[in-house]
Amino acid sequence: MDNLSDTLKKLKITAVDRTEDSLEGCLDCLLQALAQNNMETSEKIQGSGILQLFASLLIPQSSCTAKVANIIAEVAKNEFMRIPCVDAGLISPLVQLLTSKDQEVLLQTGRALGNICYDSHEGRSAVDQAGGAQIVIDHLRSLCSITDPANEKLLTVFCGMLMNYSNENDSLQAQLINMGVIPTLVKLLGIHCQNAALTEMCLVAFGNLAELESSKEQFASTNIAEELVKLFKKQIEHDKREMIFEVLAPLAENDAIKLQLVEAGLVECLLEIVQQKVDSDKEDDIAELKTASDLMVLLLLGDESMQKLFEGGKGNVFQRVLSWIPSNNHQLQLAGALAIANFARNDGNCIHMVDNGIVEKLMDLLDRHVEDGNVTVQHAALSALRNLAIPVVNKAKMLSAGVTEAVLKFLKSEMPPVQFKLLGTLRMLIDAQEAAEQLGKNVKLVERLVEWCEAKDHAGVMGESNRLLSALIRHSKSKDVIKTIVQSGGIKHLVTMATSEHVIMQNEALVALALIAALELGTAEKDLESAKLVQILHRLLADERSAPEIKYNSMVLICALMGSESLHKEVQDLAFLDVVSKLRSHENKSVAQQASLTEQRLTVDS
């Protein structure tokens, strides 16, 4: 280190004199010291004030320039040296060197800039101001097709530099995307797929850029899907495949790219991985099975890619996914059920699947997860059943297959996601009067619904419980169902639902309440009173923002309530006539007609 101090002193003098031979000797000595102990040497360099001199040595025509850039690259490996490099004014001369024709100068300059940018806001900012990124992208473009080892090394360094420059920085990544880096990197990957280091660098760069929404369109306009699938097929090592997966997952969120990946044959690769790893208990294999099956499900989220793989229910992929459901592997059961839920996104597919026995497979799967079951599998299987129940022709078939009985086994679940899907599935199934009546008289179910109507921490569960309560009344039109709901304390929730911010829910509540008033007013009277229904209806009618159908159904309900003495009195006390008479001139004809009828009723009964 004493020798190093002498070198630094000597370097100060020779840097001014510019005697190239002795300068080169000093630089060699520094590089040697850095190779032996980078951190300590870097500290000495910083303490000596020599960094400022380096700026004057970074000149294109000097034979020592590459070595100076190499020294800067080495010292900038230390975090504490990056800001001093910026403060010493090294960025601007380094960026100017990017126009050099000397390959070694370019290589060391790329390394120096890349290391200064690594995790350093100041470094990135200085390179940004000096315009370094555009020059590097231009180099990548012009050198892209040359495959000799020295050029590939330079390309790898430049890719690394851009990555360090933009990593986890959305605005700099967006800048690179606007400069057109994506098509260039995709082309690089295609030409240099034999070069492991360069390929890896491209993949990491893709992984960073693919997280940005604005990148997806650019990626979709390249042949990235084809290149990644081609590369994927060659990989044997788990780590390499994992790197490709990390790029595929964010890219596959884009529907156009989903379709490209399907057309490029990714699905066949994923199915093969599942087949290879399904029985393994190695940690890496389990992780890869999960990644492959998750990606498979993601590809099915695109309408076109999903339909292409469904192939009218005859497709090999659909059949293979179907075979995952009875598997003993939880991850495959989950992916299989989620895949069916994704296939069940249009009526044609749903009808075909129900006709071909998918419901029984899903019910068997649910049966295996009733006691201490896997919550994610329960949730996925219920999602699939809910989607399958949407087409009208499927409802009766699913009811006779025993779906409601299978679903009701999960009433005791304490997991909100499972509760939410259970409620949604039942609500989809009860369009038929008989089914609604049967369920509406199920005291355990109704009591659980009333309990969930108070689940304030889980808005979805609360909303679905209210909607199911209302649906049981609307579809059954049954006095027994209404009595069960009154006895279980459900009336107050239906009244609250009439004040929901969602018009559809308000409407469903008002129609259910009107049926209660028409069929079983005496039983519900006290509960309607204590829930302040009349005051709420007055507010809905007086509020100009209320939708026409809300005003219409509120007036229908007012008329139905007149059969109760106590509620009738509340209506009279609140001067409903004023509000209703104004609605006679409402622009909506149905509202105006109902206002006239309601006004007559109020006048007769007053």
Side-chain angles (χ1 to χ4, degrees):
M1 281 296 156
D2 290 343
N3 192 9
L4 177 62
S5 303
D6 293 344
T7 301
L8 289 167
K9 282 176 195 164
K10 193 175 174 190
L11 187 56
K12 278 187 178 175
I13 298 158
T14 50
V16 177
D17 296 350
R18 298 279 168 89
T19 37
E20 300 239 337
D21 290 350
S22 47
L23 185 59
E24 201 150 342
C26 291
L27 296 172
D28 285 338
C29 198
L30 273 189
L31 283 167
Q32 213 173 344
L34 283 162
Q36 284 166 1
N37 188 334
N38 190 316
M39 191 185 240
E40 204 176 320
T41 306
S42 295
E43 283 170 349
K44 288 257 184 184
I45 289 173
Q46 190 189 3
S48 70
I50 199 90
L51 274 180
Q52 280 76 358
L53 283 174
F54 283 168
S56 63
L57 297 177
L58 291 168
I59 43 174
Q61 53 272 42
S62 164
S63 60
C64 300
T65 304
K67 283 182 181 168
V68 177
N70 188 358
I71 291 167
I72 296 168
E74 288 302 316
V75 301
K77 285 178 178 174
N78 302 289
E79 191 181 347
F80 66 88
M81 288 300 288
R82 290 172 199 147
I83 293 177
C85 284
V86 174
D87 292 343
L90 299 180
I91 301 296
S92 183
L94 280 169
V95 168
Q96 282 165 25
L97 284 178
L98 287 171
T99 56
S100 168
K101 296 281 181 278
D102 183 313
Q103 201 160 29
E104 183 62 17
V105 170
L106 286 174
L107 185 77
Q108 299 305 341
T109 303
R111 284 185 62 234
L113 288 168
N115 290 352
I116 292 169
C117 284
Y118 185 78
D119 233 356
S120 163
H121 169 70
E122 292 77 8
R124 292 169 177 182
S125 190
V127 173
D128 179 22
Q129 282 165 7
Q134 184 67 65
I135 303 171
V136 171
I137 290 175
D138 291 343
H139 273 305
L140 288 176
R141 242 179 238 133
S142 61
L143 300 170
C144 184
S145 306
I146 306 167
T147 53
D148 67 82
N151 188 61
E152 290 193 321
K153 192 176 176 186
L154 180 57
L155 289 169
T156 306
V157 165
F158 279 159
C159 282
M161 182 245 146
L162 289 179
M163 209 170 58
N164 287 355
Y165 170 71
S166 65
N167 189 30
E168 291 184 356
N169 183 312
D170 286 1
S171 66
L172 292 179
Q173 286 178 351
Q175 179 198 71
L176 294 184
I177 290 166
N178 291 336
M179 289 174 176
V181 75
I182 288 173
T184 306
L185 289 174
V186 174
K187 195 173 169 192
L188 269 182
L189 183 69
I191 294 170
H192 303 274
C193 56
Q194 304 302 327
N195 185 304
L198 184 49
T199 297
E200 205 162 300
M201 210 51 98
C202 285
L203 288 174
V204 179
F206 290 146
N208 288 346
L209 296 168
E211 295 294 339
L212 222 64
E213 211 37 57
S214 59
S215 73
K216 306 280 201 313
E217 272 181 42
Q218 275 216 21
F219 274 119
S221 66
T222 68
N223 62 335
I224 181 82
E226 201 182 314
E227 293 299 353
L228 287 174
V229 173
K230 202 161 51 178
L231 191 65
F232 192 86
K233 284 176 178 170
K234 289 181 197 161
Q235 303 309 323
I236 305 155
E237 293 166 54
H238 168 78
D239 292 350
K240 292 278 163 58
R241 289 213 288 225
E242 195 173 9
M243 279 190 84
I244 302 172
F245 272 139
E246 280 171 12
V247 180
L248 288 169
L251 284 180
E253 286 168 12
N254 175 281
D255 282 0
I257 300 174
K258 281 186 183 80
L259 187 60
Q260 290 168 9
L261 288 168
V262 166
E263 286 170 344
L266 178 61
V267 173
E268 288 71 16
C269 300
L270 298 176
L271 290 172
E272 202 175 313
I273 288 174
V274 168
Q275 204 168 353
Q276 287 167 5
K277 312 291 180 185
V278 66
D279 298 319
S280 170
D281 48 12
K282 282 192 204 154
E283 213 170 299
D284 278 358
D285 289 348
I286 293 167
E288 199 165 348
L289 175 80
K290 179 178 177 355
T291 309
S293 53
D294 283 349
L295 188 52
M296 182 77 204
V297 172
L298 182 58
L299 291 174
L300 293 173
L301 274 173
D303 288 340
E304 282 187 81
S305 50
M306 177 272 287
Q307 213 49 45
K308 189 175 178 64
L309 294 171
F310 189 67
E311 290 182 68
K314 307 272 191 294
N316 170 42
V317 174
F318 173 66
Q319 296 302 331
R320 288 277 286 278
V321 166
L322 221 52
S323 72
W324 294 355
I325 294 173
S327 135
N328 289 320
N329 182 303
H330 280 187
Q331 173 57 36
L332 279 194
Q333 293 171 357
L334 170 65
L338 287 173
I340 297 303
N342 286 345
F343 279 125
R345 285 209 318 281
N346 65 52
D347 283 7
N349 292 5
C350 288
I351 293 164
H352 177 89
M353 287 192 277
V354 169
D355 287 346
N356 284 276
I358 189 66
V359 171
E360 289 71 15
K361 284 189 170 67
L362 289 167
M363 290 199 310
D364 288 346
L365 176 60
L366 276 175
D367 243 8
R368 293 161 71 182
H369 287 277
V370 175
E371 299 302 326
D372 307 319
N374 182 305
V375 173
T376 51
V377 175
Q378 292 171 359
H379 179 257
L382 288 167
S383 294
L385 286 172
R386 181 200 172 279
N387 289 2
L388 290 165
I390 292 171
V392 176
V393 295
N394 280 358
K395 296 182 198 292
K397 293 173 188 170
M398 290 175 73
L399 286 167
S400 61
V403 171
T404 47
E405 293 77 5
V407 169
L408 286 171
K409 289 177 187 171
F410 295 90
L411 259 188
K412 55 183 183 288
S413 171
E414 292 303 330
M415 305 306 292
V418 174
Q419 296 167 353
F420 180 70
K421 288 297 176 186
L422 172 152
L423 292 163
T425 307
L426 290 177
R427 192 165 63 78
M428 284 301 150
L429 283 170
I430 59 158
D431 277 11
Q433 190 167 359
E434 195 183 328
E437 189 161 0
Q438 195 186 344
L439 280 176
K441 290 191 288 194
N442 180 330
V443 177
K444 272 189 182 163
L445 168 65
V446 174
E447 284 176 349
R448 197 69 162 130
L449 290 182
V450 170
E451 184 189 327
W452 287 340
C453 282
E454 289 170 10
K456 293 199 167 46
D457 294 344
H458 302 288
V461 172
M462 195 163 83
E464 277 292 343
S465 302
N466 278 302
R467 293 189 75 185
L468 184 52
L469 264 188
S470 154
L472 290 171
I473 295 168
R474 288 183 295 111
H475 295 305
S476 72
K477 300 179 179 60
S478 153
K479 290 184 170 209
D480 290 338
V481 170
I482 293 169
K483 282 177 186 164
T484 308
I485 289 172
V486 172
Q487 282 154 11
S488 304
I491 295 295
K492 63 180 179 190
H493 297 299
L494 289 170
V495 174
T496 307
M497 183 180 166
T499 64
S500 163
E501 59 193 28
H502 304 290
V503 172
I504 190 164
M505 285 177 69
Q506 279 187 294
N507 221 19
E508 287 172 0
L510 290 169
V511 172
L513 288 164
L515 282 165
I516 292 169
L519 296 170
E520 216 35 73
L521 186 54
T523 314
E525 185 178 45
K526 279 196 173 60
D527 287 356
L528 293 171
E529 227 175 301
S530 58
K532 305 215 171 351
L533 173 63
V534 173
Q535 288 89 324
I536 285 169
L537 291 174
H538 190 275
R539 210 164 61 230
L540 289 174
L541 288 172
D543 188 346
E544 287 177 5
R545 291 165 303 177
S546 293
E549 59 268 40
I550 301 304
K551 290 189 188 295
Y552 178 87
N553 283 322
S554 295
M555 288 187 283
V556 170
L557 182 48
I558 285 293
C559 294
L561 294 177
M562 301 301 271
S564 151
E565 205 174 310
S566 54
L567 292 167
H568 184 171
K569 186 176 183 314
E570 281 189 29
V571 171
Q572 284 179 317
D573 292 348
L574 269 176
F576 264 84
L577 263 173
D578 301 348
V579 185
V580 172
S581 58
K582 282 180 190 163
L583 293 173
R584 280 195 353 227
S585 55
H586 196 278
E587 59 187 3
N588 182 295
K589 273 188 185 159
S590 301
V591 172
Q593 280 170 345
Q594 186 58 42
S596 295
L597 291 170
T598 308
E599 188 180 35
Q600 285 166 23
R601 182 74 197 270
L602 289 170
T603 313
V604 169
D605 289 343
S606 61

